[in-house]
């Protein structure tokens, strides 16, 4: 059975594409097992590889007949060690190491950096974290061309490993020339989401948005929270962005690892208050790089992210380079299903902050649709949407009743892959409500998801109220719809558009809803 189905998880799965899953056949398998969004990590590979990956994702999506989203992850300014004279270098507790200018260290204990202004911006007392935080240094002295440091957390380092500078005010821009070039490429290619690394203020987010706007891109901008400065300006960053990623890898180095769980909960809470989607990322099922089963702690980590209110969870190396990418996706999906079954339905108040991203009538109708659907035991809620704005608001109400985001716009279908609980469903048109009712009924009967007598709550619009979804209809599936569905020809996997039903000119046409929420 092709996706969507009414029994799949509400929380979305983001999977990173890499050598372990970069063919069309493997991507098809991952989509069939529950992946909603594929991430292209621009820190690895070149333009030719990225273009090939995007083409393969689109081909796999067409083959399955399910519109998956594509997230382009901008690398940002990654500070790295230069070439070491001694490889690897064992850093003993209390040992002295010195950063020097240039790219040629004079001794095994001298370090160089890819960031030319490093020495200028270090101060005595600053901490320097190397190799994803496994080695910690404290700056003792800073001179014109060198910064003397002492090892306060021992370990092993190698050439080109990352440098993190928690609490150090760096002047480097969040977008390097390569990031700008990649963002322009993504805009031209119609990528659905673009995530920005090294975010420190809302202005960083607005800079990327302005760039995308100049290329007429509708991509959602996802701010990666991985710096202490981002936590200090969190509310304004969330306001400026279309969504947020909790990038726990770098964040866990920039702040004390003991602070990370509470920081994650705070980020998710603020995103929920402001109706912004939030992705939890990094090391969610890390042990599944080489094992078919995760640790119990990892399973609990995924479940707690869902219970906190995450819209999506992301797999990185598990699918990109791991030995068991399909098993990792299956495991995450099973955890999501079991966790969501235990969740209490938490319906958001439509009057809360952030509900102004669509017309207030639309927000109230979406709220009412959930209440009515639960009170009458509806099998399904259907949001008819051209831009995805109404589905965006509906996703924050956290109802466990299956909800379709029905649209005839391909970009909107891919965008809705990020919205919690919204299952994108392609329909032939949105202008005729009766035709839409019949088309959804046939789709459900044809796939064994609906039966005669099942109730569906539709949220759509008519010409009475401009710019609003003001029509809420309770529709009962008829035996005639199921009979039609039983003999109808199923759409082929490579041709996901359903056969358009006959138009009904007597039905009033709903008006177009507002453009993509800002």
């Amino acid at each position: 059975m092709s996706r969507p189905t009414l029994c799949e998880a509400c929380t979305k799965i983001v999977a990173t594409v890499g050598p372990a899953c970069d063919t069309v056949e493997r991507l098809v398998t991952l989509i069939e097992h529950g992946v909603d969004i594929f991430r292209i990590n621009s820190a690895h590979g070149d333009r030719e590889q990225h273009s090939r990956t995007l083409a393969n994702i689109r081909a796999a999506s067409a083959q399955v007949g399910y519109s998956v989203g594509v997230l382009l992850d901008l690398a940002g300014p990654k500070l790295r060690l230069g070439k070491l004279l001694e490889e690897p270098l064992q850093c003993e507790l209390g040992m002295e190491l010195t950063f020097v200018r240039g790219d040629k260290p004079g001794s095994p204990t001298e370090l160089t950096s890819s960031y030319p202004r490093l020495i200028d911006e270090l101060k005595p007392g600053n901490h320097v974290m190397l190799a994803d935080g496994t080695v910690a240094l404290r700056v003792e002295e800073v001179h014109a061309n060198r910064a003397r440091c002492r090892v306060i957390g021992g370990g092993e380092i190698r050439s080109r490993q990352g440098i993190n500078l928690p609490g150090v005010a760096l002047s480097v821009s969040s977008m390097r020339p390569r990031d700008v070039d990649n963002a322009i490429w993504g805009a031209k290619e119609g990528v659905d989401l673009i995530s920005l690394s090294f975010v420190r203020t809302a202005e960083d987010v607005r800079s990327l948005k302005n760039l995308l706007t100049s290329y007429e891109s509708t991509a959602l901008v996802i701010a990666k929270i991985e710096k202490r400065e981002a936590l200090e300006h969190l509310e304004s960053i969330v306001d400026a962005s279309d969504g947020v990623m909790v990038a726990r890898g770098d964040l866990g180095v920039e702040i004390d690892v003991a602070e990370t769980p509470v920081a994650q909960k705070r980020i998710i809470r603020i995103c929920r208050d402001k109706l912004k989607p939030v992705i939890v990322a990094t090391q969610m099922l890390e042990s599944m790089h080489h094992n078919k089963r995760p640790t119990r702690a990892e399973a609990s980590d995924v479940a707690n992210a869902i219970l906190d209110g995450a819209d999506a969870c992301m797999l990185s190396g598990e699918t990109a380079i791991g030995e068991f990418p399909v098993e990792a996706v299956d495991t995450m999906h099973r955890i999501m299903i079991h966790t969501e079954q235990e969740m209490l339905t938490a319906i958001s108040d439509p009057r809360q902050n952030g509900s102004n991203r669509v017309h207030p009538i639309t927000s109230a109708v979406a709220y009412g649709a959930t209440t009515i659907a639960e009170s009458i035991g509806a099998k399904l809620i259907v949001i008819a949407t051209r831009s995805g704005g109404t589905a965006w608001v509906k996703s924050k109400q956290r109802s466990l009743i299956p909800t379709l985001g029905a649209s005839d716009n391909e970009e909107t279908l891919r965008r809705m892959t990020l919205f919690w609980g919204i299952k994108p469903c392609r329909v032939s048109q949105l202008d005729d409500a009766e035709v839409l009712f019949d088309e959804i009924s046939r789709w459900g009967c044809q796939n064994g998801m609906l039966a005669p007598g099942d109730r569906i709550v539709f949220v759509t619009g008519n010409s009475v109220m401009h710019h609003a979804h003001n029509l809420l209809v309770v529709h009962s599936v008829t035996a005639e719809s199921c009979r039609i569905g039983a003999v109808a020809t199923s759409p082929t996997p490579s041709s996901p558009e359903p056969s358009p039903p006959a138009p009904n000119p007597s039905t009033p046409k709903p008006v177009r809803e507002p453009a993509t929420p800002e």
Side-chain angles (χ1 to χ4, degrees):
M1 183 185 299
S2 62
R3 297 181 63 193
T5 68
L6 303 189
C7 58
E8 61 191 53
C10 293
T11 311
K12 303 306 179 76
I13 297 177
V14 183
T16 303
V17 181
C21 67
D22 57 0
T23 65
V24 174
E25 293 75 19
R26 290 173 181 170
L27 293 170
V28 164
T29 302
L30 292 185
I31 296 172
E32 290 174 338
H33 284 252
V35 171
D36 300 284
I37 298 169
F38 285 111
R39 169 180 173 247
I40 299 176
N41 185 0
S42 67
H44 301 289
D46 54 25
R47 178 60 46 76
E48 182 180 352
Q49 290 173 301
H50 298 158
S51 296
R52 184 167 58 250
T53 297
L54 180 60
N56 287 348
I57 293 170
R58 295 294 190 229
S61 177
Q63 186 170 326
V64 175
Y66 181 75
S67 299
V68 294
V70 176
L71 167 65
L72 176 64
D73 194 347
L74 302 181
K78 185 65 175 178
L79 280 60
R80 296 187 180 277
L81 291 170
K83 181 69 176 176
L84 299 177
L85 286 184
E86 183 179 305
E87 186 91 35
L89 177 62
Q90 191 65 39
C91 302
E92 303 291 347
L93 195 65
M95 179 179 176
E96 284 193 1
L97 297 175
T98 303
F99 280 98
V100 297
R101 290 192 189 277
D103 56 6
K104 295 181 180 179
S107 73
T109 59
E110 287 188 347
L111 308 177
T112 60
S113 166
S114 63
Y115 182 48
R117 296 194 294 274
L118 176 64
I119 294 173
D120 300 323
E121 298 182 354
L122 286 177
K123 296 178 181 178
N126 286 159
H127 286 184
V128 180
M129 311 297 288
L130 307 177
D132 292 329
T134 57
V135 175
L137 313 178
R138 183 180 60 242
V139 179
E140 302 283 319
E141 295 178 348
V142 178
H143 301 286
N145 293 308
R146 57 202 303 113
R148 184 172 62 83
C149 305
R150 188 171 301 280
V151 177
I152 58 174
E156 184 179 277
I157 60 174
R158 296 178 179 272
S159 300
R160 302 294 300 158
Q161 286 185 318
I163 301 173
N164 288 86
L165 303 167
V168 179
L170 300 175
S171 58
V172 64
S173 169
S174 61
M175 279 197 298
R176 310 300 291 159
R178 181 185 178 189
D179 298 312
V180 173
D181 185 53
N182 282 327
I184 293 171
W185 171 78
K188 290 180 177 179
E189 293 294 330
V191 166
D192 309 294
L193 309 101
I194 300 181
S195 56
L196 180 62
S197 300
F198 221 79
V199 173
R200 288 160 292 179
T201 67
E203 188 56 40
D204 295 331
V205 178
R206 285 191 283 266
S207 294
L208 176 55
K209 280 196 164 188
N210 291 337
L211 175 65
L212 296 177
T213 299
S214 68
Y215 285 87
E216 299 182 347
S217 170
T218 59
L220 302 181
V221 173
I222 308 298
K224 294 173 69 175
I225 306 300
E226 55 189 355
K227 302 285 291 179
R228 183 175 289 278
E229 297 99 310
L231 291 175
E232 294 169 355
H233 301 98
L234 184 58
E235 295 213 19
S236 61
I237 289 172
V238 174
D239 283 332
S241 67
D242 297 311
V244 160
M245 180 186 294
V246 187
R248 303 183 304 177
D250 283 320
L251 183 63
V253 178
E254 290 284 331
I255 65 176
D256 190 326
V257 68
E259 300 177 49
T260 307
V262 174
Q264 173 177 311
K265 289 179 181 293
R266 177 183 168 228
I267 295 166
I268 294 174
R269 184 179 68 251
I270 290 175
C271 287
R272 290 194 64 180
D273 289 345
K274 295 179 179 292
L275 301 187
K276 298 296 178 76
V278 56
I279 304 167
V280 176
T282 316
Q283 296 179 334
M284 301 220 76
L285 298 175
E286 182 76 5
S287 67
M288 292 195 73
H289 276 74
H290 307 293
N291 298 291
K292 286 190 174 183
R293 290 173 59 86
T295 66
R296 293 172 179 83
E298 289 167 342
S300 296
D301 183 36
V302 174
N304 280 316
I306 296 165
L307 293 170
D308 287 343
D311 293 87
C313 295
M314 192 173 92
L315 296 168
S316 299
E318 298 96 329
T319 53
I321 59 173
E323 297 175 26
F324 306 104
V326 176
E327 288 84 354
V329 171
D330 275 340
T331 298
M332 180 167 275
H333 190 262
R334 290 203 318 275
I335 296 169
M336 289 173 170
I337 290 289
H338 285 285
T339 305
E340 290 165 2
Q341 288 173 351
E342 297 299 318
M343 289 175 63
L344 294 175
T345 302
I347 301 175
S348 301
D349 186 338
R351 296 167 294 182
Q352 67 178 293
N353 292 336
S355 61
N356 62 350
R357 62 176 53 257
V358 297
H359 195 288
I361 298 295
T362 295
S363 189
V365 169
Y367 178 84
T370 302
T371 304
I372 291 172
E374 290 177 343
S375 66
I376 65 174
K379 191 71 175 287
L380 184 64
I381 299 173
V382 178
I383 306 290
T385 179
R386 283 193 170 87
S387 73
T390 307
W392 188 322
V393 171
K394 172 64 183 69
S395 74
K396 289 302 174 184
Q397 295 174 5
R398 287 300 194 265
S399 167
L400 294 181
I401 293 180
T403 302
L404 294 184
S407 184
D408 56 1
N409 183 296
E410 182 65 23
E411 289 186 357
T412 297
L413 289 166
R414 296 199 303 260
R415 191 178 300 125
M416 288 191 292
T417 56
L418 181 60
F419 303 161
W420 192 97
I422 304 297
K423 307 176 194 306
C425 181
R426 185 184 289 101
V427 294
S428 62
Q429 58 82 50
L430 298 176
D431 294 330
D432 191 312
E434 289 293 338
V435 170
L436 177 64
F437 301 162
D438 289 342
E439 189 169 338
I440 293 296
S441 295
R442 289 202 306 273
W443 170 85
C445 291
Q446 193 171 313
N447 290 286
M449 301 177 196
L450 296 174
D454 285 344
R455 292 167 178 161
I456 308 173
V457 175
F458 284 86
V459 176
T460 181
N462 59 33
S463 58
V464 176
M465 180 73 67
H466 291 294
H467 306 302
H469 271 44
N470 62 315
L471 185 63
L472 193 158
V473 177
V474 177
H475 176 77
S476 292
V477 178
T478 64
E480 181 183 4
S481 295
C482 288
R483 282 197 298 272
I484 294 172
V487 299
T489 302
S490 300
T492 60
S494 59
S495 303
E497 288 287 351
S499 301
N504 184 346
S506 64
T507 305
K509 295 183 178 182
V511 297
R512 184 185 180 94
E513 66 176 275
T516 303
E518 291 295 334

